[in-house]
Amino acid sequence: MRVQPVRRPLRVLLAGLTAAAVVALTPSASSALPTADFTISAPTAAPGAPVTFRFTGTCDLPPCSVVWTWFQDGGSHLGTRMGVGEQISYAFPRSGLYAVVARITNSTPTHGSAKATHDLLVGDTMQEDAPAVRLGGWQRVATAGASQGGQHVGTGSASLRFTGGRLDYVARTGPARGIARLIVDGRRVGTVDLYSATAGVRSRSFTGLGAGSHLVRLVSTGAHNPSSTGDAISLDELVVGGTLHVDDNSLSIRYAGWSGLASTGADGGGERVSASPGARTQMSFSGSTVTWETAMGPDEGIATVIVDGVTIATVDNYSAVTTPKFLRIFTSLGTGSHVLQVVVTGQHRAASTGSRVVVDAFLS
């Protein structure tokens, strides 16, 4: 019968440390091998921001050394060395999905070892053509107004492995678009109808996924709205994060010229509405991404979005079909603190019957 080791915490060797950054542990049963696992200080990280990794495994026959490495699809099979030791801090150079590996090895002639691997997503947004997004049966289409100037369209599937409890799917709509299905960790979490009479954008948020690693698959259902002339679906971007949720009735949001409205389809059962030119709402947030949860519909109008005093977008919320909880996502705003304002213009397109604008919630 194999003797299982007694789990004991790591302690740093007080004397005789070398460049190998050895770790001295109280030995467990001599017939056991070392074990490996580790914790990460944050589920996601920004490029260039240090992340702390702490080894939590056990050493069988000290001294043991712990070596840290990261891997990416298409990269070197040897990986990239991050450092050695029981605890390290490391800043990843660019956005992407990283497989981080901690390998513990003892110094006996047998060189017993063990390793653990955890995924870490660096960057808030995965563009649809990023290496971490696996595409099958898709075609790249240049699209004015789309993130990075383009989208992928097709009837195949796309997949992304990510870490965190929230995922936003951003797609482009049109008269020949079908219905997309999203599957997270093998479970169907929802469908999105991408039909609209005119080209536009549509987002869907999926929350409460848990803090660990997940696999999302976006697939075409092969079905479409009766008004649509096709069943192809689209992918503009996948946004990971959105940990801060601020409902429209939060005291952190300031309003001028808005009124509250109960709505069963709204987030939290209510929303703020205004059609008055110059009516504005203001909220402070931190980070490079912010999401405005609003509504599309046949009586919706046009608003401007201002960040730190600079207009970054003019949005038209008209749609022939009423769509609550519609997400407007704004990225690449820079790190640090920002002030967001949504201002009603009082204008609307000819097809709209009104110029109202809805604030349901903000996410950052």
Side-chain angles (χ1 to χ4, degrees):
M1 180 177 69
R2 184 181 181 84
V3 179
Q4 295 298 319
V6 178
R7 300 292 192 265
R8 296 180 173 88
L10 289 170
R11 59 182 176 82
V12 179
L13 184 63
L14 298 179
L17 284 175
T18 69
V22 295
V23 177
L25 299 156
T26 302
S28 56
S30 60
S31 62
L33 294 173
T35 65
D37 204 358
F38 61 92
T39 61
I40 308 175
S41 60
T44 59
V51 182
T52 300
F53 300 87
R54 182 175 180 274
F55 192 79
T56 58
T58 61
C59 176
D60 58 338
L61 296 171
C64 290
S65 64
V66 179
V67 178
W68 301 82
T69 314
W70 63 256
F71 296 82
Q72 280 189 307
D73 290 343
S76 169
H77 70 283
L78 299 175
T80 299
R81 192 180 177 101
M82 300 165 57
V84 294
E86 176 185 350
Q87 179 172 304
I88 67 166
S89 291
Y90 187 84
F92 294 87
R94 58 189 177 275
S95 297
L97 184 68
Y98 293 80
V100 178
V101 178
R103 185 181 186 90
I104 182 171
T105 307
N106 64 31
S107 60
T108 67
T110 61
H111 296 294
S113 65
K115 66 180 182 180
T117 304
H118 294 301
D119 290 336
L120 177 68
L121 181 70
V122 177
D124 294 325
T125 302
M126 300 299 293
Q127 296 300 325
E128 93 286 348
D129 56 355
V133 180
R134 307 284 182 84
L135 296 166
W138 298 77
Q139 175 182 343
R140 171 76 172 179
V141 178
T143 307
S147 179
Q148 302 296 314
Q151 60 175 313
H152 270 75
V153 177
T155 56
S157 65
S159 63
L160 169 69
R161 185 167 292 282
F162 67 99
T163 301
R166 177 189 174 93
L167 178 74
D168 293 311
Y169 161 51
V170 184
R172 311 299 295 190
T173 61
R177 293 290 172 262
I179 298 175
R181 173 176 288 125
L182 281 98
I183 303 168
V184 176
D185 300 333
R187 179 174 61 89
R188 296 180 180 182
V189 295
T191 58
V192 183
D193 185 352
L194 299 180
Y195 166 78
S196 65
T198 57
V201 63
R202 187 160 298 159
S203 302
R204 179 75 181 272
S205 176
F206 301 92
T207 59
L209 304 178
S213 177
H214 306 285
L215 177 66
V216 59
R217 292 185 64 237
L218 171 68
V219 300
S220 170
T221 64
H224 58 77
N225 186 293
S227 300
S228 178
T229 60
D231 55 12
I233 62 174
S234 67
L235 172 60
D236 190 353
E237 60 184 1
L238 295 168
V239 182
V240 177
T243 56
L244 175 62
H245 183 287
V246 182
D247 194 57
D248 66 283
N249 62 0
S250 171
L251 296 178
S252 64
I253 305 177
R254 299 179 181 179
Y255 295 98
W258 299 73
S259 59
L261 179 67
S263 174
T264 56
D267 201 336
E271 58 193 18
R272 299 295 175 114
V273 179
S274 180
S276 302
R280 67 182 59 218
T281 180
Q282 177 175 309
M283 187 196 74
S284 299
F285 69 98
S286 297
S288 62
T289 300
V290 66
T291 300
W292 166 28
E293 188 173 43
T294 181
M296 302 281 288
D299 60 347
E300 302 296 328
I302 297 171
T304 56
V305 179
I306 301 171
V307 174
D308 300 332
V310 178
T311 298
I312 63 170
T314 299
V315 300
D316 184 354
N317 279 352
Y318 168 80
S319 171
V321 179
T322 299
T323 306
K325 298 182 182 179
F326 187 87
L327 301 182
R328 297 280 189 186
I329 302 171
F330 306 96
T331 62
S332 303
L333 304 177
T335 58
S337 299
H338 305 284
V339 175
L340 168 73
Q341 292 181 317
V342 175
V343 183
V344 179
T345 66
Q347 301 173 342
H348 59 83
R349 72 166 71 184
S352 179
T353 60
S355 56
R356 76 173 206 156
V357 176
V358 171
V359 169
D360 195 350
F362 293 105
L363 307 107
S364 173

